[in-house]
Amino acid sequence: MKTQDKQDEFIRKLILKKGIEKAPDHFTDKVMERIKANPSIDDTPLLSTGTWIAIITGLAALIVIIFTVDIPFFNEVFSSTNIQKVSMNVFSQGFFETMTSFFKGLNISSITVVIVAAAAGLVVLERILHRRFSETRLLVI
């Protein structure tokens, strides 16, 4: 503890001896001019729109495959749950009839529909507001 006190006292003496440094004249003005001259705001999103579409499409395809394609492993997965698997007869019945029977077989509660619709609405609203305010910010600078 004594060594810490000695170090603290030494630092305190150095600070008192040196004094408070003063910034050069017009330092703040020069820094602000440099910032205004070179705006380095990067508003590009981490994932592009195409990447988001690919991710969402891939997840949707994965969900459809899990629920519709007849793979023996998936039968064991669904055996312990109340989810009934719909076999996909795309080649015999046609795509639209098969997808209609698939969606009729799903028991989706109304609260699930409201949650999904609200989430989609928030995403759309965020994109609209982001575009609007990013354009406004560019005009101000």
Side-chain angles (χ1 to χ4, degrees), residues 66-77:
I66 287 173
F67 282 111
T68 59
V69 175
D70 191 19
I71 298 175
F73 170 77
F74 290 139
N75 290 334
E76 294 176 18
V77 171

Side-chain angles (χ1 to χ4, degrees), residues 15-58:
I15 292 173
L16 288 173
K17 182 180 178 183
K18 180 68 176 168
I20 298 174
E21 290 186 26
K22 186 172 180 170
D25 292 335
H26 305 289
F27 175 76
T28 305
D29 296 332
K30 291 177 184 177
V31 170
M32 292 307 294
E33 285 176 17
R34 288 177 59 192
I35 290 173
K36 288 178 184 176
N38 188 14
S40 60
I41 298 172
D42 187 14
D43 283 344
T44 56
L46 184 61
L47 298 175
S48 67
T49 305
T51 305
W52 278 113
I53 290 172
I55 290 171
I56 292 169
T57 304

Side-chain angles (χ1 to χ4, degrees), residues 73-84:
F73 170 77
F74 290 139
N75 290 334
E76 294 176 18
V77 171
F78 293 114
S79 65
S80 64
T81 63
N82 292 332
I83 299 174
Q84 292 186 1

Side-chain angles (χ1 to χ4, degrees), residues 90-103:
V90 173
F91 301 112
S92 62
Q93 293 180 351
F95 179 75
F96 292 110
E97 290 178 19
T98 304
M99 294 313 292
T100 303
S101 66
F102 171 71
F103 286 116

Side-chain angles (χ1 to χ4, degrees), residues 2 6 12-13 44 64 71 78 91 95 97 111 134:
K2 288 185 178 186
K6 287 180 183 179
R12 210 175 277 119
K13 285 180 183 179
T44 56
V64 168
I71 298 175
F78 293 114
F91 301 112
F95 179 75
E97 290 178 19
I111 191 69
S134 65

